[in-house]
Amino acid sequence: MATTPETAEPPADRAPARRPAAARKVTRHRGEGQWGMGHFTPLNANEQFKKDDDGLNVRTRIETIYAHRGFDSIDPADLRGRMRWWGLYTQRKEGIDGGKTAILDPHELDAEYFMLRVRIDGGRLTVAQLRAIAEVSEQYGRNTADLTDRQNVQYHWIRIEDVPAIWQKLEAVGLSTTEACGDTPRVILGSPVAGIAEDEIIDGTPAIDEIHRRFIGNKDFSNLPRKFKSAVSGSPLLDVAHEINDIAFVGVVHPEHGPGFDLWVGGGLSTNPRLGVRLGAWVPLDEVADVFGGVIGIFRDYGYRRLRNRARLKFLVADWGTEKFRQVLEDEYLKYKLIDGPAPQQPAGRWRDHVGVHRQQDGNYYVGFAPRVGRVDGRLLGQIADLAEAHGSDRLRTTAEQKMIVLDVAEDRVESLVAGLEALDLRVTPSPFRRGTMACTGIEYCKLAIVETKERGRTLIDEMEKRLPEFDEPLTININGCPNACARIQVADIGLKGQLVTDEQGNQVEGYQVHLGGALGLEAGFGRKVRGLKVTSEGLPDYVERVLTRYQEDRTEGERFAQWAARANEEQLS
């Protein structure tokens, strides 16, 4: 396998001759910053701070300096850079409207508080771990907690002075914030019902554990061109959004070799969305970590580091193509040929979130429930832990759809657990609007956001349940505060990208550009943008009601919303 020095210095015999700045000629850039091709310079600001010091090293400074001297003592390269390697992002200062997001300098947007992300690989939690998460929220995060669409939990209002105590509490129960953010291998998505679902193809849990053991916190892989998102699932529901991860292992049955995984690479959304592609390779369970290491090694060594907006793996995959990518993986990194294999089957159901009551392999049941747009709090998480324990469970799961699941519930205790969850407004049989609406953090805390999202999603759910109480089709409504697509707007039935729009009185107000008919799993693809179709936040319920009513009136038998949106005319969609 090709390796690269941690400092990313060019070999001495290839060090470029330097001219005085005034005499230096403007020439075409030298490559795309690919280490594996000898392109170590020039460095953008992000590559420079990573070269100066590995992001993992910032923990020592947090514990020994910043936690004692306070926010003002933090080096800017740590504050807005390396601290992400430990799950910390600066929080948006209160009172700054969306119109100033792209205008103000970073230090003007920063509050003296942090978002802190707890990584939960595979979404796996014990009761003790959930209680620890709840206690941190109540003691240090002003009771904030959000379930993310990557199975994590996020806090807000975290003070740098409290971070060491938070780490101590989380790590005492086996949780971590290591590489929850940053240019690193982030949380590994996994089927939340791995090892227990009756219809499971293969349990990917051992592979997730081995990937975590070998690669997380490993300085050989802690300086990637950008973030690296991964997923492993053996569920026939295709429940980890494999199409939009940098690497994904999807459960399949090979006709000769049996259950294993189909390998996908190069997915990702944001402002240049691309669906992942199959390499056509079948990977047995005990080789998943090796293949992961090969793909992340390719990304580290050949990923584009020169321009930040081209630094995701999807751009390299698009340029190389699947044949070359697989060849490099096999020849340079694995040193063996992968076995050709079959594609995944179409998903076994329309919903992929595991909400509801379902029988397990062992005869017990798991119960999935839906908060509103992932917004919970520490007190509520503590109550969920108490409920699970009172009903004989020590295992819970987060999902990639901002939901939660209680596992291992005996049949005679299911009804009582459901009643307890419903009493906390955690719906086990939610409406399609409660079940299918997702929202990112939004302007409340995020420095990139332009509009509010969480409260908008909560009120939209209430409005649609009142206005269309009989609507019973699976539907996804994804609300994002900026163009970066953390809430997957391009692959939602109704995707809403936050921006400032002009209302009927000519005022600039919060609103959304609308994407219609995106999907994952069933005919995966990106939503359609109707020219000029934007809605104000205030007018959003009216618009959603209008377009869904037209869908109900015009759809054919069994036609999904995404299919209808693809054929409807612009007048019907406006």
Side-chain angles (χ1 to χ4, degrees):
M1 180 184 298
T3 58
T4 304
E6 186 179 316
T7 56
E9 289 285 2
D13 61 349
R14 286 188 291 168
R18 296 275 183 174
R19 298 182 181 182
R24 196 175 302 151
K25 295 173 66 176
V26 178
T27 59
R28 188 177 182 276
H29 67 83
R30 295 183 56 207
E32 292 289 350
Q34 295 163 284
W35 289 356
M37 299 181 70
H39 298 151
F40 299 95
T41 58
L43 298 177
N44 62 42
N46 288 275
E47 289 302 310
Q48 184 64 56
F49 80 65
K50 290 188 290 181
K51 176 186 173 183
D52 292 342
D53 189 33
D54 191 287
L56 291 172
N57 293 338
V58 77
R59 175 163 178 159
T60 299
R61 291 191 288 279
I62 292 171
E63 293 176 322
T64 62
I65 301 173
Y66 304 147
H68 301 282
R69 298 183 185 175
F71 186 89
D72 291 339
S73 70
I74 304 173
D75 183 287
D78 287 343
L79 182 65
R80 301 179 192 94
R82 301 183 194 99
M83 290 176 75
R84 298 175 186 178
W85 272 242
W86 289 94
L88 289 156
Y89 276 96
T90 47
Q91 184 171 303
R92 187 187 190 94
K93 190 178 293 184
E94 291 180 278
I96 298 177
D97 64 58
K100 295 191 174 77
T101 296
I103 297 173
L104 297 179
D105 290 333
H107 71 275
E108 295 178 286
L109 285 166
D110 288 333
E112 295 188 359
Y113 298 93
F114 293 88
M115 178 275 284
L116 177 61
R117 182 177 296 159
V118 183
R119 71 177 293 154
I120 307 172
D121 293 283
R124 293 172 291 169
L125 290 170
T126 65
V127 165
Q129 288 173 330
L130 185 58
R131 281 211 179 98
I133 289 173
E135 289 167 6
V136 168
S137 169
E138 292 193 80
Q139 293 175 21
Y140 303 110
R142 298 191 186 181
N143 205 36
T144 57
D146 287 333
L147 304 177
T148 77
D149 60 7
R150 295 200 62 80
Q151 297 184 288
N152 295 313
V153 171
Q154 290 184 177
Y155 303 119
H156 301 283
W157 299 110
I158 298 298
R159 302 187 319 136
I160 192 64
E161 292 87 348
D162 296 327
V163 170
I166 293 170
W167 282 336
Q168 185 176 20
K169 182 175 283 289
L170 292 174
E171 290 168 2
V173 292
L175 292 172
S176 168
T177 70
T178 309
E179 296 181 334
C181 313
D183 297 351
T184 66
R186 298 192 184 184
V187 67
I188 309 152
L189 297 188
S191 173
V193 292
I196 66 159
E198 285 192 312
D199 59 355
E200 184 173 56
I201 298 168
I202 185 171
D203 180 2
T205 303
I208 293 175
D209 290 341
E210 183 64 7
I211 291 169
H212 191 282
R213 185 187 70 81
R214 287 167 55 177
F215 300 102
I216 307 309
N218 181 343
K219 289 187 178 180
D220 287 340
F221 301 94
S222 61
N223 181 356
L224 303 178
R226 280 200 76 175
K227 57 191 171 186
F228 188 77
K229 296 184 176 182
S230 54
V232 180
S233 176
S235 171
L237 292 179
L238 307 181
D239 55 1
V240 291
H242 66 275
E243 305 96 327
I244 54 174
N245 280 270
D246 293 281
I247 184 171
F249 298 88
V250 184
V252 293
V253 178
H254 192 285
E256 298 177 25
H257 303 286
F261 297 92
D262 188 42
L263 176 59
W264 292 59
V265 296
L269 295 179
S270 192
T271 53
N272 290 285
R274 292 189 66 88
L275 293 177
V277 293
R278 297 183 59 238
L279 291 190
W282 177 86
V283 183
L285 179 64
D286 59 2
E287 293 180 14
V288 168
D290 293 334
V291 173
F292 179 97
V295 173
I296 199 173
I298 290 175
F299 183 41
R300 177 195 61 195
D301 300 337
Y302 291 102
Y304 302 149
R305 294 175 182 264
R306 186 178 71 89
L307 297 176
R308 188 78 174 159
N309 62 2
R310 275 181 54 81
R312 290 294 299 275
L313 183 64
K314 61 187 176 183
F315 294 102
L316 181 68
V317 172
D319 289 348
W320 277 10
T322 55
E323 185 176 344
K324 178 178 178 179
F325 194 97
R326 179 169 170 175
Q327 181 180 359
V328 172
L329 174 63
E330 293 173 338
D331 295 351
E332 295 188 28
Y333 291 82
L334 296 177
K335 307 298 186 183
Y336 63 83
K337 295 295 183 183
L338 294 164
I339 299 170
D340 292 341
Q345 299 293 315
Q346 284 293 307
R350 298 280 294 276
W351 291 106
R352 313 204 292 184
D353 56 14
H354 303 286
V355 166
V357 177
H358 306 271
R359 184 182 169 89
Q360 298 179 180
Q361 295 172 3
D362 62 3
N364 288 320
Y365 288 79
Y366 65 88
V367 180
F369 54 91
R372 296 173 187 264
V373 294
R375 176 54 55 89
V376 289
D377 59 52
R379 191 172 302 108
L380 180 60
L381 292 177
Q383 291 172 313
I384 294 169
D386 291 343
L387 268 177
E389 185 175 56
H391 289 82
S393 172
D394 187 44
R395 297 195 296 170
L396 303 101
R397 298 290 184 265
T398 55
T399 82
E401 309 293 335
Q402 299 181 338
K403 309 296 189 295
M404 285 193 77
I405 305 170
V406 179
L407 309 184
D408 307 326
V409 182
E411 184 174 8
D412 61 357
R413 294 186 172 189
V414 168
E415 185 177 350
S416 172
L417 175 61
V418 170
L421 291 168
E422 294 275 348
L424 296 175
D425 193 31
L426 300 168
R427 301 295 182 212
V428 177
T429 54
S431 72
F433 303 109
R434 166 77 80 98
R435 188 168 185 176
T437 301
M438 177 189 296
C440 73
T441 300
I443 201 171
E444 184 178 10
Y445 301 116
C446 178
K447 294 186 299 179
L448 301 178
I450 302 167
V451 304
E452 204 283 325
T453 55
K454 288 290 189 184
E455 188 59 32
R456 180 59 55 193
R458 290 162 63 94
T459 57
L460 180 63
I461 290 168
D462 291 342
E463 281 293 318
M464 301 320 300
E465 287 178 343
K466 293 174 185 174
R467 297 184 187 200
L468 297 174
E470 303 303 317
F471 190 91
D472 60 358
E473 283 292 308
L475 183 83
T476 53
I477 302 175
N478 294 13
I479 307 173
N480 218 82
C482 77
N484 287 320
C486 296
R488 308 178 193 160
I489 50 174
Q490 296 101 327
V491 291
D493 286 306
I494 301 175
L496 301 165
K497 181 175 73 176
Q499 59 183 229
L500 298 180
V501 302
T502 303
D503 66 12
E504 293 180 354
Q505 288 74 43
N507 301 311
Q508 200 172 57
V509 298
E510 289 191 359
Y512 303 92
Q513 183 186 59
V514 181
H515 298 241
L516 295 166
L520 293 175
L522 288 164
E523 301 171 11
F526 300 129
R528 170 184 177 185
K529 288 187 285 188
V530 177
R531 184 170 48 205
L533 179 54
K534 300 175 183 179
V535 298
T536 66
S537 291
E538 186 175 338
L540 183 58
D542 290 341
Y543 172 75
V544 174
E545 179 185 14
R546 184 166 66 247
V547 76
L548 292 183
T549 299
R550 289 171 179 168
Y551 159 62
Q552 289 179 303
E553 293 170 349
D554 189 50
R555 65 181 172 178
T556 60
E557 181 69 26
E559 188 175 31
R560 295 181 292 110
F561 179 86
Q563 295 169 319
W564 174 79
R567 69 169 177 82
N569 60 49
E570 293 192 356
E571 183 178 351
Q572 290 174 297
L573 299 177
S574 63

